[in-house]
Each structure stands twice: as structure tokens, then as C-alpha cells.
Amino acid sequence: MGLISSTPMLEKARSEGFGIVAFNVHSLDMIYAVVEAADEVKAPVILQTTVGSVKSLGAENIVAAAEKASNQYNVPVALHLDHCTEYSVIVQCIRAGYTSVMIDASMHPFEENVRKTNQVMEIAKHLDINVEAELGKVGGVEDDIVVSDEDAQKAVPAECVEFIKRTKVPTLAPAIGTAHGIYKGEPDIDFIRIQEIAHLVEVPLVLHGGSAIPDEDVKRCVSLGMAKMNVSTELKNAYSAAIRNHFIETPEALDPRQYLSKAKNAAKDLAQSKITLVGCAGKATEIQEYEKEKHSNPIMAN
Ligand code: 13P
């Protein structure tokens, strides 16, 4: 069906209490691993890339591959730009065909975060694309963005209300104790804070740092309003471990098709387990119908 905005799928997920996984992808195999995993369980899915991947692969190439995969399989697929601090890269990706973008101005004071988010909203409101912004600061490492444990900051619920009021951003990532990368100990998730924020704002919330969170905690976050869960590290680990094992078993191997197909299968299994965990298996048709209805009804579209 081609790439669609992530807005309708996330709205539906938030209102019905299930989640949608956004996987960070870095290659053609990873794009296909994720879309095929979603297709096998008839789930909506979000492909996302970091700015680093946009710079190394090229926005047009990523869009072409994601578009092709989404046309080959009959499930709703969105393409999202993760953690972008550069306005010019956001514009480049929107022009190339991304259907969702994150403006990450969380490292700036509140007023500057509002201003930078509004700058992106100014373009997005004329187009059928989703915008995500972050409040508080998610710890850990994602691409070139490094936030130490000391600098990580949880989102303030009253600021979330003010932020949504002043930006009208359709998706919000409040920092609530998770971190990017693999945890040194157990993640310290502030469930009370998620509940407070979800009670105050209606927009779908985004759980960053979705790797290595215990399953029961993921389900609790989703049930409280975290409609999008980002997974990067665990997918990369599954993909890379398969390649590493291939070379341990056969150090002289040189046919990329052999180790890349193992990597793809490992990534696909991981993607399917996360998709099933957040409860969106079987939701593809419902989302497709909601998306069509939204497009045919101008009141719903605004
Ligand atoms: P993980 O690397 O912890 O899965 O986090 C991914 C993420 O939040 C991307 O924005």
C-alpha cells in the first residue's frame, strides 16, 4: 500500500491500548526483515533511521527501499527519521518521502524546544506526515547523541501539557527513566510519571530505549499510553551476532549472501517477538481502514 504517515496508526494504538514498534534499520536486509516480520503477523510497523544512516545510505535510497518493501507486503508501514537535531536534514528527509520525523531539541531549554518544534510543525501541518518531539532527556547513546546518566532528565508532566498546547505536536516522547543502549542494571522506569503524563495529554506517547526492557514492563508502559516503542540496540545485536557466529564457524567465508541471510533471519525473529509483545499483531486491517476513513473525511484529517 506504500508508505503512510505514522499518525493514524499511533492514534489508533493509543486509543485502543496497544503499541507499535519502530525499528532502527541500517541496511536493505534490515528493512526487509522488519517488514516481512510485520507481514507474517499482520501488524503495522514503523521503519526508522538515524541521521547517521541518512548520511551514509542517502535519504532517497532509504525511501526507495522502504517504499518498495511497503508495496510488496500488505501491512501499514511508516518511515520515520529518528532523533534529528538539524532542520536541514528534516527538510531533506521530508522532501525525499519520509512520512514521519523527530525533531529532537530536548538538549535545549524548554522555550527553545518549543521554537524548534514549531519550526518543523510549520512544514508538517501542510503535509501528511507525523512529527515527534522529546521532553526531558533520554540517557545513553543513540548515533551522535550522547546523554550521560547525570544529564538524563525525566519529563515534567505540566511541561508536557504546555508543550502540546503550544506546538500541537501529534506525538510526544517524554523521558521516563529508560535509556538508549543496553542497561548496566535494571531500567528504572517511572510508571507513575507515565500515568500522570498520559492522563494529562491525549497524544500517543513514545517509549525510547526499548531494548532490554523486561517484557512485563514493556506491556505496562504500553497499557499506560506508550503507543510507540523504539527498538534499536537489540535489533542490531541480533543482526550482528548472526554474522559474527557465521565467521566463527567458517572464518574463510566470503559470500555475503550466506551471512546476510542469516543476519536477516535473526533480525526478523527479533522484530516479530517485539511486535507480538506490544500487542499489535493482527491490527493491520483495522489500521488500513482507519487510515482510509481519515483521508476521506476532512474533519478527521485535521
Ligand atoms: P535502544 O537502542 O535502547 O533500543 O533505543 C532505541 C531508541 O530509542 C531509538 O530512538
Side-chain angles (χ1 to χ4, degrees):
M1 68 183 291
L3 295 171
I4 62 164
S5 162
S6 55
T7 305
M9 57 172 91
L10 292 174
E11 279 175 359
K12 202 79 180 146
R14 170 81 209 255
S15 70
E16 292 189 11
F18 62 87
I20 293 177
V21 192
F23 294 99
N24 287 66
V25 291
H26 306 277
S27 67
L28 186 64
D29 294 315
M30 286 176 113
I31 291 175
Y32 272 86
V34 167
V35 177
E36 285 174 16
D39 182 62
E40 277 177 18
V41 291
K42 295 291 163 231
V45 78
I46 301 173
L47 296 166
Q48 62 184 21
T49 68
T50 57
V51 174
S53 291
V54 170
K55 291 186 176 165
S56 69
L57 297 174
E60 280 80 10
N61 293 332
I62 295 168
V63 170
E67 186 83 46
K68 177 88 182 156
S70 69
N71 276 318
Q72 274 171 272
Y73 296 92
N74 190 25
V75 287
V77 181
L79 177 62
H80 175 76
L81 174 65
D82 194 24
H83 286 288
C84 190
T85 57
E86 297 168 61
Y87 181 73
S88 60
V89 178
I90 289 179
V91 173
Q92 180 199 354
C93 288
I94 292 175
R95 283 209 175 113
Y98 275 63
T99 57
S100 176
V101 292
M102 177 180 190
I103 165 68
D104 183 359
S106 61
M107 65 295 294
H108 297 290
F110 183 82
E111 286 300 324
E112 186 61 0
N113 194 348
V114 168
R115 193 190 68 76
K116 284 182 175 286
T117 303
N118 274 332
Q119 199 182 18
V120 175
M121 285 301 295
E122 201 47 48
I123 335 174
K125 71 182 181 200
H126 303 293
L127 303 166
D128 190 18
I129 60 161
N130 184 271
V131 178
E132 177 182 328
E134 178 172 319
L135 275 183
K137 285 184 203 152
V138 176
V141 181
E142 186 61 56
D143 226 22
D144 294 338
I145 301 176
V146 182
V147 178
S148 67
D149 289 354
E150 299 73 52
D151 285 343
Q153 252 172 40
K154 291 181 186 167
V156 177
E159 283 188 357
C160 295
V161 178
E162 180 71 11
F163 192 81
I164 298 291
K165 205 167 113 196
R166 290 179 53 193
T167 62
K168 308 269 185 304
V169 76
T171 319
L172 181 69
I176 45 81
T178 54
H180 294 124
I182 293 296
Y183 296 91
K184 291 178 205 112
E186 280 279 295
D188 181 19
I189 301 176
D190 192 338
F191 294 103
I192 306 273
R193 192 174 296 256
I194 304 176
Q195 202 163 10
E196 273 174 24
I197 296 170
H199 180 71
L200 293 169
V201 303
E202 283 177 4
V203 298
L205 302 175
V206 184
L207 183 66
H208 277 254
S211 290
I213 299 179
D215 287 0
E216 285 316 305
D217 288 356
V218 168
K219 286 188 187 160
R220 200 168 157 198
C221 287
V222 169
S223 72
L224 291 174
M226 289 291 191
K228 172 175 181 255
M229 176 171 82
N230 289 359
V231 173
S232 173
T233 306
E234 271 191 276
L235 190 73
K236 271 195 292 204
N237 279 355
Y239 187 82
S240 306
I243 297 176
R244 200 175 301 120
N245 290 338
H246 185 83
F247 279 100
I248 290 170
E249 283 160 20
T250 46
E252 71 288 356
L254 48 73
D255 187 341
R257 288 166 299 187
Q258 285 176 358
Y259 55 84
L260 290 180
S261 64
K262 285 186 181 169
K264 181 184 164 193
N265 286 339
K268 191 167 159 182
D269 289 347
L270 187 281
Q272 215 169 82
S273 72
K274 296 290 175 189
I275 288 170
T276 309
L277 175 64
V278 299
C280 68
K283 303 283 185 189
T285 309
E286 198 182 321
I287 303 271
Q288 279 158 344
E289 280 164 8
Y290 178 65
E291 205 256 346
K292 265 195 224 136
E293 193 188 341
K294 230 187 136 167
H295 269 127
S296 59
N297 182 342
I299 296 169
M300 279 175 84
N302 289 318

